[in-house]
Amino acid sequence: MTIGDHLHTFHGLPVYSFPGPETKPDLPEPDSHAWRISADVYDAEEEWTAAFARFLGAVDTTRVRALVVGAWGEAYDSDSSPVIEALLAARDRLPALRAVFLGDMVMEESEISWIQQTDVTPLLTGFPDLEELGLRGGSELTFPALRHTGLRTLTMEAGGLPVEVVRGVGASDLPALEHLDLWLGTPDYGGDSEVGDLEPILSGARLPRLRHLGLRNSEMQDAVAAAVASAPVVARLETLDLSMGVLTDEGAAALLGGQPLTHLKKLDLHYHYISEPLLDRIRETLEPAGVELDLDRDDAEIDDDEAHRYVAVGE
């Protein structure tokens, strides 16, 4: 999956797009799919809240396990507040809901940096049994610290995550969280955190069950890698993902010089600026231990000019 594609699966379920008002198809069983509800950004005959109301009337929502929120209109001009309000208003009709993805939009619908989000934590307080929350877009996003005992997966995809969001995640008590994936981004698109802001996450003190950590798509990836190299949380991880960012030989050497990573099931560094000699050292160190490696360079091209190094996803 890339940001050029809509989600095909979510929460372990295939995604089914709830059809528009002009069609009357045979709908799948409510608990067999994640339901994608979207407004047509090219033909604004129906607002997202109206599509959601039709969904509530057409489907036995007491059995719905996962919802994928697509475009809610022109996302660069309106935030996700009405969507969250509609979901909260219908929570009594969604007792089985365990997963929400907010903002499943591709580039043709909205650039990721244009997607206007809001405070998304009411979804967690309003749905105490929610196990997975994902979102795309960091503009106007807020995430004040909270406690949630059910959340197992948290994913935030952005060209830049605001520092207060990173700090809010780090200050939250999430005792069940197993999978955390943050696209830190670049200051050009609002990613103004510094490596020190990651310390509460890297300590793992509030994340006793964390098994997957993704700190991705970062302009400061070398500094992130150096911090990860000595981070207490790493010892309990099964997968570590530092992909999609400006990771160079400096960061790769810091990883190799830090604590052993041979306990990992997978290390993902794809899209990077690491030279072949350092890549060989990573392979020689970790492959014999059975660590799965993703070292694909993708579109990142080695260039001595730092000005020509970019994160995978910005605008």
Side-chain angles (χ1 to χ4, degrees):
M1 190 278 297
T2 70
I3 61 167
D5 302 309
H6 290 126
L7 292 174
H8 300 299
T9 61
F10 179 58
H11 200 59
L13 298 168
V15 175
Y16 175 82
S17 293
F18 184 66
E22 70 285 350
T23 60
K24 302 292 183 182
D26 292 328
L27 299 176
E29 292 296 316
D31 53 1
S32 66
H33 287 73
W35 294 79
R36 184 175 187 273
I37 303 167
S38 182
D40 190 342
V41 297
Y42 307 109
D43 183 4
E45 290 185 359
E46 183 180 49
E47 295 183 351
W48 189 93
T49 50
F52 183 60
R54 281 194 305 105
F55 167 76
L56 292 175
V59 175
D60 178 5
T61 56
T62 63
R63 297 170 55 196
V64 169
R65 298 162 54 197
L67 289 175
V68 175
V69 176
W72 49 77
E74 296 178 338
Y76 60 85
D77 198 36
S78 59
D79 65 27
S80 55
S81 296
V83 172
I84 293 175
E85 291 170 3
L87 292 173
L88 292 174
R91 58 189 163 190
D92 290 343
R93 302 179 66 178
L94 295 163
L97 187 66
R98 296 295 180 268
V100 175
F101 191 95
L102 191 63
D104 180 34
M105 298 177 225
V106 296
M107 290 179 288
E108 291 78 8
E109 295 167 312
S110 178
E111 298 285 359
I112 192 170
S113 65
W114 299 356
I115 299 174
Q116 301 285 315
Q117 290 285 1
T118 186
D119 181 359
V120 297
T121 57
L123 284 173
L124 293 172
T125 55
F127 291 92
D129 294 326
L130 205 68
E131 297 175 356
E132 181 167 2
L133 176 62
L135 61 87
R136 183 171 295 169
S139 183
E140 304 303 322
L141 176 66
T142 62
F143 193 94
L146 82 169
R147 176 173 173 80
H148 194 283
T149 59
L151 193 68
R152 298 175 61 182
T153 298
L154 178 61
T155 302
M156 295 183 173
E157 302 175 355
L161 278 183
V163 61
E164 294 303 329
V165 171
V166 176
R167 290 173 180 170
V169 172
S172 294
D173 286 315
L174 303 170
L177 197 71
E178 299 173 356
H179 182 114
L180 177 62
D181 195 350
L182 303 179
W183 294 17
L184 299 172
T186 168
D188 291 340
Y189 296 104
D192 55 350
S193 64
E194 299 179 355
V195 71
D197 298 310
L198 299 172
E199 192 280 331
I201 295 172
L202 295 177
S203 77
R206 295 187 178 92
L207 302 169
R209 296 187 62 184
L210 197 68
R211 297 297 178 265
H212 168 95
L213 177 61
L215 299 172
R216 310 167 66 190
N217 198 51
S218 175
E219 196 169 276
M220 59 175 181
Q221 205 72 48
D222 283 343
V224 171
V228 165
S230 60
V233 75
V234 172
R236 72 176 69 126
L237 297 181
E238 296 179 353
T239 59
L240 175 63
D241 189 341
L242 302 178
S243 65
M244 299 172 57
V246 185
L247 183 64
T248 72
D249 283 5
E250 179 183 344
L255 276 179
L256 289 173
Q259 62 189 299
L261 301 176
T262 50
H263 67 288
L264 294 175
K265 291 183 178 179
K266 182 175 182 179
L267 175 65
D268 190 343
L269 303 180
H270 81 269
Y271 188 99
H272 59 80
Y273 296 86
I274 305 171
S275 67
E276 285 301 324
L278 260 293
L279 292 176
D280 288 340
R281 284 181 56 195
I282 294 172
R283 295 186 186 101
E284 292 165 1
T285 302
L286 298 180
E287 282 184 342
V291 180
E292 179 185 351
L293 300 174
D294 188 343
L295 303 178
D296 289 347
R297 185 164 281 122
D298 291 350
D299 295 330
E301 297 181 3
I302 296 293
D303 194 316
D304 292 334
D305 187 348
E306 294 183 7
H308 294 162
R309 298 172 185 166
Y310 310 97
V311 298
V313 178
E315 184 178 13

